[in-house]
Amino acid sequence: MTAIVEASHSRSYRAFARWVAASYHYAAWILLASLLIAVACAVYTSRNLGMNSATTDMLSEHLPFRANYKHYKKTFPQDQDMDTLVLVLDAPTPEQAHTATKRLAERLKEDATNIKDTYLPSGDVFFERNGLLYESIPELGRITDRLAAAQPLIARIAGNPTLHTFASVLTEAVEELRAGRSLELESVLGGVSATLDARLAGVPRALSWQVLFRGEAQKSTYRELMTVQPKLDYTQLAAAEQSITALRATARDLTEDGSVRLRVTGDVALADEELKSAMHGTEYAGLLALVLVTVVLYFALHTAGPILTVLLSLVLGLLLTAAFAAAAVGQLNVISIAFAVLYVGLGVDYAIHFLLRYRELLEDGQPTVQALQATGGDTGHSLFLCAVTTAIGFYAFMPTAYRGVAELGLIAGTGMLISLVVTLTLAPALQRYLPTRPGAASTGAEGSLGKLLELPLRWRKVVYAGTFAALLAAVAVLPKIEFDYNLLNLQDQRGEAVQTFRELLAETEHSPWHAVALADNEVEVDRLAQRLTGLPEVSRVVTVLDFIPTAQEEKLALIEEMALTLGPLTLAAAPPVANQYTLAQQRAALGALSTALDRFIAERPDHPALVPARSLRTSLGALLTHFDTASSDDKNKLLHAVGKDLLALLPDAMQRLHTSIEATPFNQQQLPESLRTRWHSQTGQYRIAIYPAENINDNQALRRFVRAVQQEAPQATGAPVISLEAGEAVVQAFILAFSLALAGIIIILLVMLRSVASTLLVLTPLLLAALFTGAATVLLGVQFNFANIIALPLLLGIGLDSGLHMVHRSRSDGTTHEELMHTSTTRAIFYSALTTLVGFGSLAFSSHQGTASMGVLLTIGLALTLICILVILPVLLATAARGRIHEKVMP
């Protein structure tokens, strides 16, 4: 067996030595050919390699949850949460929020270039006319009674909407309240007080008459939501950028007065923001990586020639790999684009090993050509083993259901073979023009590194004890490894889309993340809705049947009574007229109101309206004091602004009230088509929206909600289901990929090394590093996620390559294990891993949390891999060698 191995090694040694010698001999032609190939690859790649940033497309369409979503998407094409923007408009009053949102929807419908669909149910005249039918009968009765009591006051203000009239009418109302009449003025007094305070504080807001009609206290802000389906161009890196930019430009024209705040969120906005955040964070991380990698390469190679050789080899290899990607898959996704990260991390390893071994032979006094041949023979075999084994490991990713990982495996595996060819061809050719000089080594630093790495060999029992203890601890905590399914946690938490989306998630009854189920008929809709409503994980269930109000005839009778009570006053409302009263008259009216409030407070100390009355009295006092000290021009401006704050929204409120009393009975077929088709498809299926009872921003709450819904509706889909199922599909895909990779690696190692012992020595530090890295993520609170999980193939490749280099060097030239720590192989392992660590570890400083978590995981994994390769593996090699010697001396 030994003779066969040596004969095989001899043949491969000669083959690689001749390859390298030929590359050096024909350097000029090889460099010219490399330049032409690089240019051709760059042109071909730029013209043929596209980008698909749709994350769901990275998973196999045959997965059940994708099939369910595809069916839902086909059934209800106009209602796709995964392809929409959610516009959130906040305003001080419901009138302003509604008006701004309705105007924006109208403008966006005109932009067919960027907007596919706009959905705003509250803006449809159908709901403006029939909105009161959705109120409960008791609430409708209270609204009717309240309007009947206030009718005389509203009529006077609507007929002459001025500050003087308003103050006079309110004064009379306070006097009647003092006299004992039952009037619900608490909301009016509180609303007017808040409006005056806002004006004096320099943050004016209008008084909401719509809120007053309902007898409610005015809140600080009111919100309207609108769903927009933009046109997406997945051939561009930022598929929605053009549509979002156009939308914001349109909104800017409508909200320029500053009273309405627009925020854009939803899955499309989140994806766009994430992409920009990742690119922005990578720019700074890239600059830091460039500086740190250059420093490490300088310490490893010491002169510009070898450094340039490494960089040029990387560039050519990357271009060739990118061209292969363009030919093989055509489009990259957010996972397969990581082939560049893998190539840089592993490709630099090949070049450093080659150049450091070459320099080592030059320092031993060998001539250039002989040293290159020996380098090719020595490193060629180990690099070939590394390239083939790592490529097979990556190719094992291809059978998985995660298309992003499968394509990454195909591209990265081929990239390893390309790296081998480039290293053994271009690096020797460049030595003719960028020669490595033997006298440039910093033997002091390298000697110190070797001496440091000798220590574990002197403390083998301590290393074994420490390894065993760490192994037990790792096995104990390994079951606690978690995968974070929440895509929001990957993004920059300071982004508008993320913050707004989290805010909406907290409002569980209107959560943008809700599940969707389909039913074939109304009987099934009712049955399934009842069963889902009974789940503790569900807050509410909405179907098309919920848009048909109950007791319509009874409610219409109350609405008719309301119309008779209001009479023609709704038609008399007009915008605030130009001021027809003098400053003195207006001042007197406000003073009279203040005096009336003083008398009411003094005489009715137990009245329910006492608190808002005191508040309004204080606000009026501050207003009158400010008025009395102002100039004549400022006095006029002040009262004009106050009148506008109090009365500007009255006409809109009166118009909406007039529209609402025109309600008519209706059935499902009479619902607006834009709403009906979102709940009842043309194929006859019904849509059921299921809202969570908890904030499913939490992973455990997400899992509870999805699993509970799936118990009753196995075919349910929607963002929560897709998020959870996609995460589990990714985890299963990586488990399968790494299982297949491990099996493939074991087989190829056994075939090529022809030794079970050598195979175990290569695999042991790799498996230990994997266990320790998993345990470290638990101890440090670093969860696996959709972003950092792609760092695992890089750790696999580096651990495998490094172990192979160490085992091959120790078995090929008879070097003692103490001497092994001073060889170019050990230094190459250390510096190539350090180059990758500082290069990609700098990602930890990115503002994009997914990118940062990848940097953290790589830093942890590479550090532990180095320890396993440079500390534990040499001890294992020494122990194995002593065992062989002991067997030989035994009689």
Side-chain angles (χ1 to χ4, degrees), residues 409-686:
L410 173 63
I411 299 168
T414 305
M416 295 304 96
L417 301 178
I418 289 172
S419 181
L420 173 69
V421 173
V422 170
T423 299
L424 296 179
T425 304
L426 184 61
L430 286 170
Q431 288 306 301
R432 184 174 286 277
Y433 304 101
L434 299 172
T436 298
R437 304 189 183 281
S442 299
T443 55
E446 293 174 353
S448 299
L449 175 63
K451 290 178 181 178
L452 181 64
L453 295 176
E454 279 185 33
L455 294 177
L457 294 171
R458 301 173 186 172
W459 299 86
R460 295 177 190 175
K461 292 183 179 180
V462 174
V463 171
Y464 278 124
T467 302
F468 184 71
L471 182 60
L472 290 178
V475 171
V477 302
L478 216 55
K480 298 180 180 179
I481 290 178
E482 294 182 354
F483 187 90
D484 185 0
Y485 304 97
N486 193 338
L487 293 172
L488 290 180
N489 293 337
L490 301 184
Q491 301 190 214
D492 185 350
Q493 301 303 301
R494 297 167 296 180
E496 176 190 88
V498 173
Q499 291 184 348
T500 306
F501 203 83
R502 287 193 186 279
E503 195 175 306
L504 295 178
L505 284 176
E507 301 173 2
T508 55
E509 287 196 357
H510 302 282
S511 175
W513 273 356
H514 57 270
V516 176
L518 300 181
D520 293 327
N521 52 64
E522 289 190 12
V523 174
E524 186 180 351
V525 169
D526 188 60
R527 178 190 62 81
L528 190 54
Q530 288 185 21
R531 293 175 62 178
L532 289 167
T533 303
L535 296 174
E537 295 84 2
V538 174
S539 66
R540 69 185 182 111
V541 176
V542 179
T543 72
V544 70
L545 304 180
D546 294 307
F547 292 94
I548 312 300
T550 58
Q552 291 189 40
E553 293 300 325
E554 191 174 350
K555 292 176 181 178
L556 285 169
L558 288 171
I559 293 173
E560 289 177 8
E561 180 184 340
M562 186 188 304
L564 291 172
T565 300
L566 292 175
L569 70 85
T570 54
L571 301 177
V577 298
N579 199 358
Q580 54 191 282
Y581 297 95
T582 64
L583 289 177
Q585 289 173 319
Q586 295 178 77
R587 170 66 173 81
L590 292 172
L593 175 58
S594 180
T595 302
L597 287 168
D598 284 335
R599 287 198 295 266
F600 171 75
I601 292 168
E603 297 177 17
R604 303 297 299 271
D606 298 326
H607 197 280
L610 182 66
V611 174
R614 282 178 174 169
S615 177
L616 178 55
R617 174 63 187 85
T618 302
S619 302
L620 274 172
L623 174 65
L624 294 173
T625 299
H626 187 73
F627 175 86
D628 293 337
T629 57
S631 64
S632 177
D633 188 49
D634 288 342
K635 287 179 180 179
N636 189 58
K637 290 180 180 179
L638 175 63
L639 294 187
H640 176 76
V642 170
K644 184 178 179 181
D645 291 343
L646 294 172
L647 300 166
L649 299 182
L650 177 60
D652 180 69
M654 298 300 288
Q655 181 58 48
R656 293 187 67 183
L657 182 60
H658 173 70
T659 302
S660 68
I661 60 178
E662 296 177 348
T664 57
F666 61 90
N667 56 34
Q668 184 182 145
Q669 297 305 315
Q670 293 170 309
L671 287 170
E673 184 180 1
S674 61
L675 176 115
R676 189 180 67 253
T677 55
R678 279 177 161 80
W679 295 92
H680 188 191
S681 71
Q682 293 181 350
T683 59
Q685 288 195 292
Y686 291 82

Side-chain angles (χ1 to χ4, degrees), residues 237 267 298 480:
L237 194 58
D267 286 331
Y298 173 78
K480 298 180 180 179

Side-chain angles (χ1 to χ4, degrees), residues 158-319:
N160 185 21
T162 63
L163 177 61
H164 183 277
T165 303
F166 180 82
S168 300
V169 169
L170 192 54
T171 300
E172 293 174 13
V174 172
E175 290 292 356
E176 290 193 26
L177 201 65
R178 182 173 66 88
R181 182 180 173 184
S182 178
L183 292 175
E184 295 184 13
L185 287 183
E186 290 90 339
S187 60
V188 177
L189 299 177
V192 174
S193 174
T195 301
L196 297 180
D197 289 343
R199 169 57 61 181
L200 294 174
V203 285
R205 68 167 191 169
L207 177 66
S208 172
W209 286 84
Q210 181 179 327
V211 172
L212 293 183
F213 290 163
R214 300 182 66 89
E216 300 171 350
Q218 186 169 340
K219 298 184 292 186
S220 59
T221 185
Y222 290 84
R223 175 172 294 168
E224 287 269 355
L225 302 179
M226 176 167 57
T227 303
V228 174
Q229 193 170 10
K231 290 188 176 178
L232 305 178
D233 183 4
Y234 285 120
T235 63
Q236 301 297 316
L237 194 58
E241 183 175 20
Q242 180 178 332
S243 298
I244 294 176
T245 301
L247 185 153
R248 289 190 182 277
T250 302
R252 198 177 299 116
D253 296 337
L254 300 177
T255 60
E256 57 187 8
D257 63 351
S259 61
V260 179
R261 178 191 181 195
L262 168 73
R263 290 178 290 170
V264 182
T265 187
D267 286 331
V268 172
L270 289 167
D272 182 74
E273 193 173 87
E274 179 180 24
L275 184 62
K276 292 177 180 177
S277 170
M279 293 178 66
H280 180 71
T282 305
E283 287 175 3
Y284 292 105
L287 290 174
L288 179 61
L290 180 61
V291 173
L292 294 177
V293 167
T294 302
V295 171
V296 173
L297 286 176
Y298 173 78
F299 279 105
L301 303 171
H302 308 301
T303 56
I307 294 175
L308 285 173
T309 299
V310 171
L311 297 178
L312 290 173
S313 299
L314 278 177
V315 170
L316 179 60
L318 267 177
L319 289 172

Side-chain angles (χ1 to χ4, degrees), residues 47 62 196 311 460 683 746-747 781 801 804:
R47 293 179 178 177
H62 302 294
L196 297 180
L311 297 178
R460 295 177 190 175
T683 59
I746 290 173
I747 292 171
D801 286 359
L804 264 172

